[in-house]
């Protein structure tokens, strides 16, 4: 694993943690339940795909994508 790969993984972890905490706060559940919810999303799947480059975006940007996914507004992903 090279330095770039390590940085990508750290970024993915940091964004994932941010998302878990936001979900937990929004729906008032445990971090564990929030993580389970996150793992089922397309947003998380894209975040884990290094080819997508989503790991390089801000946590707030990824949060807005997750919000769009939750509301069924996937079209906004295509425009963005």
């Amino acid at each position: 694993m090279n330095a770039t790969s390590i940085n990508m993984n750290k970024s993915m972890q940091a964004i994932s943690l941010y998302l878990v905490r936001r979900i937990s706060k929004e729906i008032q559940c445990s971090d564990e339940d929030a993580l389970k919810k996150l793992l089922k999303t397309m947003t998380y799947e894209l975040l884990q795909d290094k080819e997508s480059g989503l790991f390089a975006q801000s946590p707030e940007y990824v949060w807005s994508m997750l919000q769009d996914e939750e509301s069924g507004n996937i079209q906004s992903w295509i425009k963005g």
Side-chain angles (χ1 to χ4, degrees):
M1 198 179 275
N2 61 30
T4 303
S5 183
I6 291 170
N7 289 339
M8 285 184 220
N9 289 339
K10 284 185 179 183
S11 179
M12 286 180 220
Q13 288 174 344
I15 293 171
S16 295
L17 180 60
Y18 175 86
L19 296 174
V20 164
R21 291 194 174 148
R22 285 290 302 258
I23 292 168
S24 177
K25 185 176 179 180
E26 289 283 320
I27 64 173
Q28 297 181 346
C29 67
S30 68
D31 285 351
E32 183 179 341
D33 287 341
L35 177 59
K36 288 177 185 176
K37 183 174 176 64
L38 177 62
L39 292 175
K40 296 176 185 174
T41 66
M42 290 189 314
T43 303
Y44 181 77
E45 196 173 313
L46 271 175
L47 179 61
Q48 297 305 307
D49 179 6
K50 291 178 183 175
E51 295 290 318
S52 77
L54 192 55
F55 67 88
Q57 299 296 327
S58 71
E60 292 83 10
Y61 178 87
V62 182
W63 172 251
S64 82
M65 283 186 67
L66 185 60
Q67 298 282 94
D68 287 340
E69 179 181 351
E70 288 289 311
S71 69
N73 188 15
I74 303 294
Q75 288 291 18
S76 68
W77 291 9
I78 297 166
K79 293 177 187 172

